[in-house]
């Protein structure tokens, strides 16, 4: 794919959300194909979860995205897909890894969207691959249960907020789900939702630091609830934590079926996005500290700090491991 | 919403049509939600009319549009929605009012598109609000009857027209109505139609004055007829009047169902758009006078002049009223 | 239509694929209208073939495309449409012919997509017009049979290819067919397919010569097989021939229905695109010669050379004919 000007922010990088959408489309194609490969009841693979994703280097307009996807594990009812994105400057031939993502899909019957089908098992080259996959499967299962309980929070508007407070940068947008947002089953593509979430998170980050910003990473996202065609979705974001050079933004997606179902508005997805602020030369800039006011804001700041330190420690451990002989 | 480069004209302002589309989407969401709020038969709110809308200041790429909507009146079968658009430069924090619009919607049954349902009444804070709303309702009802009778005109091509004549700048475009243009009912969103109308009006204005042009206002638009998915629509525009610094363009939308209905081509919508010509610094430029040739063109010029003077008088009255203690 | 920034490559010309898509939309509208003009069973005209198309001058952002279409011949089951595209700079008023295309459509019943309906005959001003049309009809019929037999080839990935070899520039992209890609019958618009083909061919050309490139011409394209909504399509391109200043790229489209049909992946379309390399001033640049390695590559190079020389001879004959008194 060639990146077009409409996928870019003002300075010229491609939005993280556009990359997430591409990744999800590749994952949906490969897992839908796999789940239909042995005949049986036709199905569409629906995104259940995306693992934490780091954006290693920005992608610019005019570069071609090379997306490759591989099925790395199958449980009875789910498929793990690894997607790698490389950016290639076709004029110079230079290539860079943009990011690597792990996604989980679940096959839903084309005739009955509430029926989860069985996944044909894959063959592993080595026994350890299956064991490691099983370990990842169990870990994500636990984590999904946890976020399901956390999902009750709501963002309220603030009148005349002070600069650098939570209320000052919080943002939301509303989107009416049209046919081009949806899969064959009539539900929103996970990638479409992630693109909108990144859009809101980017507005929050830009309002806070008033500079050019880019997505640095996205924490694991769980898709607990499907969103149907014709629904209205509200995507809201608020800043939860700032380090010296990064901002963490929590994003909620609430769906309101409101036309042909008697169902109340519900929380469909939530996630944490991390952004950094960049100078025109692409160097990271210091970020103004987030001013927390209420007890809840202070608690969320501390929780964000915990996630930040944990990620930092994990990355250092990986680097040390990589440096060992 | 962040404004993207594809929503902009060459100099960098956001097309009026894109803003009209956003306004209509907000209006459709709030009124569909209201009409379904008391259970009963599921319905979709269809746009019946947009009141005259002024574009107070242009919106530029990279700015965020803040759209807010409120239901201000309900009759038995219609909903009046007030939508306000603010543009916000997220890097400087500066905000400006872009425009305010009033839209009328009618709830149509999801099962039978020809059945108009009843609207749940809203509560008014003060009795005068209801009375003023009722007055606006009666006024627009009268005006709708009037335009219904005016709708017979057709635009013919002109061979080798002279510069600044009506035939010189008149333009049309054809669009095949696809699924992403349509509501859940399979009919074109009013906002999609308005965006195309603004596109044609903009081409007419640019052909006439050969400079950068922007939408200044749109007269009331009545949506008498629905347009079905799969139809071909022809949007035609011709200039009707020029003042020293503005151009009035009349736009017609004709729909041709031509596939699965035995119906003839019909006039679906018509409206007057006013454009101004801007220098690169954003200052209004003088507009070449429209050369009228036929009796019809002269009559339309005089009618346009009437509308122009009426609007001018109304605005002066409002300013005097606002200046009074 | 105004051309927007997202339809353009980096230097600012409008992609050939966008123009092909516009042409096809115009052809589909006029032929669908014609085939439904005498009542009878409702139908949608599906693209069967596009004749060779030359891009005579590039179209730039901000220009308006004037598209006109005319039915020039009808056989019992097919319609020939001639579409002309002019680009108009609305600020200067300058107009240029961009290209002229000939398309063949076949009316398919809206109720039964496998049923080809009869086409109402058109009236010819002169008897020779009918005879010439019949000759064109017979010629394209022969050519369609021929390409149907050629369609078996597959493109394999190459590890560590040398610059300017076939493997070095070959490219592919995958697209999930959504509702906005499809006609009322639920099959991909021919124009959508051509746009994606041009996108891949453009990537191949840019990878080979690492400069700004534009579409110069497209050989006749036959649409033997429909592609259904929900399919995954793989569009692959490889360079077959280079002259001093042009590159020929062969593009294949393979469709994989994979969800609700037990059908195998199949070749839906294939075509040859010719690209030229342009300097920033718009002058043609020399193109690096394609390095052929295998016997197949050498054979395809010679075949490409044959097509190139044939086209050149035909053009010279036309110019001499035009120069005669």
């Amino acid at each position: 794919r060639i990146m077009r000007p409409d996928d870019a922010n003002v300075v010229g990088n491609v939005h993280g959300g556009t990359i997430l959408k591409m990744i999800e489309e590749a994952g949906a194609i490969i897992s839908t194909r796999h789940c239909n490969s042995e005949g049986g009841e036709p199905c569409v693979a629906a995104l259940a979860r995306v693992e934490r994703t780091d954006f290693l280097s920005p992608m610019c307009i005019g570069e071609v995205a090379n997306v490759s996807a591989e099925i790395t594990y199958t449980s009875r009812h789910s498929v793990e897909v690894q997607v790698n994105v490389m950016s290639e400057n076709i004029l110079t031939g230079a290539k860079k890894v943009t990011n690597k993502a792990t996604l989980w899909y679940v096959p839903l019957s084309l005739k009955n969207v509430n029926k989860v089908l069985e996944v044909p098992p894959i063959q592993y080259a080595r026994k350890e691959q299956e064991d490691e996959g099983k370990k990842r499967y169990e870990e994500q299962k636990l984590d999904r249960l946890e976020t399901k309980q956390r999902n009750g929070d709501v963002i309220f508007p603030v009148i005349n907020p002070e600069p650098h407070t939570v209320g000052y940068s919080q943002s939301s947008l509303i989107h009416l789900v049209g046919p081009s947002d949806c899969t064959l089953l009539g539900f929103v593509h996970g990638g479409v939702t992630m693109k909108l979430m990144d859009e809101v998170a980017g507005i929050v980050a830009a309002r806070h630091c008033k500079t050019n910003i880019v997505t640095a990473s996205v924490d694991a996202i769980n898709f607990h609830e499907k969103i149907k065609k014709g629904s209205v979705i509200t995507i809201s974001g608020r800043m939860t934590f700032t380090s010296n050079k990064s901002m963490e933004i929590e994003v909620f997606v609430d769906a309101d079926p409101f036309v042909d179902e008697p169902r109340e508005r519900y929380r469909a997805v939530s996630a944490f996005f991390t952004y950094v602020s960049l100078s025109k030369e692409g160097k990271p800039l210091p970020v103004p500290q987030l001013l927390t006011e209420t007890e809840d804001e202070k608690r969320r700041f501390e929780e964000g700090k915990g996630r930040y330190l944990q990620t930092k420690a994990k990355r250092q451990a990986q680097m040390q491991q990589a440096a060992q002989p």
Side-chain angles (χ1 to χ4, degrees), chain A residues 52-56 214-218 246 274-276:
Chain A
R52 180 188 164 80
T53 304
D54 288 299
F55 290 81
L56 304 171
V214 295
T215 318
S217 67
V218 186
S246 73
T274 299
Y275 273 74
V276 292

Side-chain angles (χ1 to χ4, degrees), chain A residues 37-220:
Chain A
S37 61
E38 304 207 338
E41 202 171 330
C43 64
V44 172
L47 182 65
R49 175 178 164 94
V50 182
E51 299 293 349
R52 180 188 164 80
T53 304
D54 288 299
F55 290 81
L56 304 171
S57 72
M59 188 175 291
C60 296
I61 299 176
E63 290 185 344
V64 172
N66 291 309
V67 180
S68 59
E70 188 191 359
I71 295 181
T72 42
Y73 181 75
T74 50
S75 75
R76 200 173 160 199
H77 290 298
S78 67
V79 180
E80 187 200 50
V81 183
Q82 172 88 35
V83 182
N84 296 327
V85 183
M86 304 265 294
S87 66
E88 178 192 352
N89 182 322
I90 45 177
L91 300 190
T92 66
K95 285 185 191 183
K96 286 173 307 179
V97 174
T98 301
N99 55 0
K100 300 180 180 190
T102 304
L103 302 95
W104 294 88
Y105 288 86
V106 169
L108 304 178
S109 163
L110 199 59
K111 278 155 206 160
N112 173 4
V113 74
N114 295 312
K115 188 174 164 193
V116 178
L117 300 181
E118 297 210 1
V119 174
I122 59 165
Q123 303 300 322
Y124 300 92
R126 288 172 297 114
K127 178 75 174 71
E128 300 96 79
Q129 289 179 337
E130 184 168 4
D131 297 343
E132 283 162 23
K134 183 151 196 183
K135 207 178 131 203
R136 292 193 300 273
Y137 170 73
E138 298 295 347
E139 277 173 8
Q140 62 89 27
K141 209 168 160 184
L142 265 180
D143 187 86
R144 292 179 65 181
L145 284 174
E146 214 173 281
T147 57
K148 206 160 185 174
Q149 287 154 359
R150 204 185 57 198
N151 263 343
D153 228 342
V154 176
I155 294 181
F156 290 105
V158 177
I159 313 297
N160 287 325
E162 290 293 309
H164 306 136
T165 58
V166 175
Y168 182 72
S169 57
Q170 72 182 26
S171 305
S172 67
L173 69 80
I174 286 180
H175 177 72
L176 181 58
V177 175
S180 43
D181 300 326
C182 292
T183 66
L184 279 185
L185 291 167
F187 291 96
V188 178
H189 281 290
V192 168
T193 310
M194 289 194 286
K195 190 165 186 279
L196 289 165
M197 292 170 86
D198 180 67
E199 201 168 307
V200 167
I203 294 173
V204 173
R207 275 183 166 154
H208 180 78
C209 66
K210 308 213 171 298
T211 55
N212 181 41
I213 45 85
V214 295
T215 318
S217 67
V218 186
D219 248 38

Side-chain angles (χ1 to χ4, degrees), chain A residues 213-234:
Chain A
I213 45 85
V214 295
T215 318
S217 67
V218 186
D219 248 38
I221 309 181
N222 294 306
F223 292 81
H224 294 300
E225 297 267 11
K226 295 187 286 283
I227 304 170
K228 207 173 166 182
K229 186 165 81 182
S231 300
V232 167
I233 51 179
T234 306

